[in-house]
Amino acid sequence: MLYKVANGENVDLGKKVAVVGGGNTAIDAVRTAVRLGAENVTLIYRRTESEMPAEKDEIKDAKEEGVNFKFLVAPLNVVTENGKVKGINLQKMELGEPDASGRRSPVAVPDSHFMIDADVVIMSLGTSPNPLIAQTTPGLERNRKGGLVASEDGATTREGVFAGGDAVTGAATVILAMGAGKKAAAAIDAY
């Protein structure tokens, strides 16, 4: 799917988009992908629909727009070939016993790995750096607060992987995340 950006260049946004997360930002990402012309958009969430923090009306609207939902699955790693995303390996989950707060944590189902095709994977996992990103992507270093180590232009410690916003700084403003995104986009283009 080609999308013309502000400077007039075409950017290939992919035809098969996978978004990992269950909050409002994840829902915004899947609905935007549909509106930009992705042919297959899947939201991946490790708990059930009833536990998603996203607004219920937004979830309903995303379903009506054609978004596929995969509940009780967690990402293991992103599959790449020749530097391009080919898919995402997932593992089925089940809900364990409630913790002190009453929330049931997802528990991996043994021998339940499977892959879905994707040419774009968006990790939408909250405002604090999620350790899953560094754990599933070898070569990414984290700082003492758990954020990804990245240069001023967003280059991480793994060649060809760029990051910015909350994944690097921790919770911050949208403006700072947008600025980091613009810097990283320029660095990705130069790369």
Side-chain angles (χ1 to χ4, degrees):
M1 141 179 96
L2 289 177
Y3 180 71
K4 190 172 290 280
V5 293
N7 68 0
E9 291 183 42
N10 288 324
V11 176
D12 187 1
L13 297 179
K15 295 179 182 190
K16 297 174 187 170
V17 177
V19 176
V20 179
N24 288 322
T25 303
I27 294 294
D28 287 347
V30 293
R31 293 182 73 192
T32 298
V34 167
R35 292 173 189 160
L36 291 176
E39 295 172 7
N40 184 310
V41 180
T42 303
L43 184 128
I44 297 162
Y45 186 57
R46 64 189 186 136
R47 290 187 167 92
T48 66
E49 180 176 352
S50 64
E51 288 141 338
M52 283 182 70
E55 297 291 329
K56 301 308 174 204
D57 286 345
E58 296 285 332
I59 297 168
K60 178 179 151 290
D61 291 345
K63 286 180 177 180
E64 289 173 0
E65 290 178 9
V67 172
N68 303 305
F69 285 77
K70 291 205 176 291
F71 296 110
L72 288 170
V73 293
L76 295 172
N77 64 316
V78 175
V79 179
T80 61
E81 184 179 291
N82 298 323
K84 294 188 184 256
V85 173
K86 292 294 180 189
I88 183 168
N89 282 320
L90 304 170
Q91 180 166 24
K92 292 181 182 178
M93 308 297 280
E94 60 188 8
L95 294 180
E97 294 300 315
D99 62 15
S101 71
R103 189 169 193 199
R104 296 172 65 193
S105 294
V107 177
V109 174
D111 302 318
S112 63
H113 305 116
F114 65 101
M115 186 182 104
I116 63 169
D117 292 336
D119 45 28
V120 172
V121 175
I122 300 170
M123 303 298 265
S124 179
L125 299 170
T127 58
S128 59
N130 189 307
L132 179 65
I133 298 169
Q135 291 169 1
T136 60
T137 309
L140 288 179
E141 289 181 28
R142 296 188 319 193
N143 62 30
R144 62 181 177 77
K145 293 184 178 181
L148 298 177
V149 173
S151 66
E152 185 69 25
D153 66 359
T156 66
T157 53
R158 179 171 172 170
E159 184 181 351
V161 176
F162 295 78
D166 296 352
V168 173
T169 63
T173 66
V174 171
I175 291 295
L176 289 175
M178 290 171 61
K182 285 185 81 168
K183 286 179 184 176
I188 290 167
D189 185 52
Y191 177 81

